[in-house]
Amino acid sequence: MDGQRAESSESDNDALVREGDIAGDYLERLLDLLDFDGDIDLDVEAGRAIVSIDGGEDLEKLVGSRGNVLEALQELTRLAVQQETGNRSRLMLDVAGWRADRREDLREIGRKAAKDALESQERVRMKPMTPFERKVVHDAVAEVDGVTSESEGEDPNRKVVVIPV
């Protein structure tokens, strides 16, 4: 059984590497069309392909306000991968390190909301967030004893609520 699990894990990794390659090719063509410079880096982490674009001057335009262009570009890239592989992709796209920086900001926001909920012993409702943002905040809150979190509402107004327990 362990041999089968190892083979499955290796083939899963190969599939993720292939997803990254397809996404990289798609993004390379897009950068060429836009006449943007950028280096594309591919990685596999936590069971998902990670694709990042760095090094270009105009890359902020691919992030947009609050990452809205980045979210759309990620979805288009996932669709390009799905069209090629026939499988839904969970790849994560980062541009100019925006997601990495945003992730750290969101962790701090989540920790602060957890502290506020503990001190007040009242629910703390946060502003609406994207699925990526909510996940990071939920993970940060989960690290704090005495509080839990849940999401409420419908997208695009879905938000995290931190609850003292």
Side-chain angles (χ1 to χ4, degrees):
M1 184 70 161
D2 288 337
Q4 287 177 336
R5 191 176 304 129
E7 279 181 32
S8 174
S9 176
E10 190 173 309
S11 65
D12 289 347
N13 197 48
D14 289 346
L16 293 173
V17 168
R18 182 165 182 257
E19 277 188 21
D21 287 340
I22 294 166
D25 291 345
Y26 174 79
L27 292 165
E28 188 79 39
R29 288 190 307 271
L30 178 71
L31 289 175
D32 286 345
L33 283 170
L34 296 172
D35 199 27
F36 283 10
D37 289 326
D39 298 320
I40 298 175
D41 185 42
L42 311 172
D43 200 4
V44 173
E45 186 179 299
R48 90 176 11 178
I50 309 290
V51 181
S52 58
I53 305 172
D54 292 297
E57 291 179 22
D58 294 325
L59 294 180
E60 314 82 47
K61 294 175 183 173
L62 296 179
V63 173
S65 173
R66 291 194 62 223
N68 61 350
V69 175
L70 174 57
E71 289 292 329
L73 185 56
Q74 177 175 274
E75 280 307 307
L76 288 172
T77 305
R78 286 176 172 176
L79 287 171
V81 170
Q82 182 177 348
Q83 185 176 21
E84 181 103 9
T85 66
N87 297 320
R88 174 98 171 102
S89 173
R90 294 180 51 241
L91 77 84
M92 180 71 72
L93 176 63
D94 194 5
V95 174
W98 186 85
R99 270 194 209 278
D101 294 343
R102 182 71 177 138
R103 184 176 284 119
E104 193 49 48
D105 292 344
L106 289 165
R107 284 186 187 123
E108 185 57 37
I109 289 167
R111 288 188 289 262
K112 182 182 180 328
K115 180 181 172 209
D116 291 349
L118 276 173
E119 287 177 2
S120 70
Q121 285 298 299
E122 293 182 11
R123 291 173 174 244
V124 173
R125 282 183 173 75
M126 305 179 81
K127 67 180 183 172
M129 298 180 183
T130 67
F132 160 75
E133 292 171 324
R134 289 193 309 269
K135 165 98 171 72
V136 174
V137 170
H138 283 303
D139 290 347
V141 170
E143 295 173 2
V144 178
D145 290 335
V147 292
T148 188
S149 63
E150 60 186 36
S151 292
E152 72 176 20
E154 299 295 323
D155 282 328
N157 296 312
R158 196 157 171 81
K159 58 185 79 171
V160 174
V161 180
V162 182
I163 307 161
V165 290

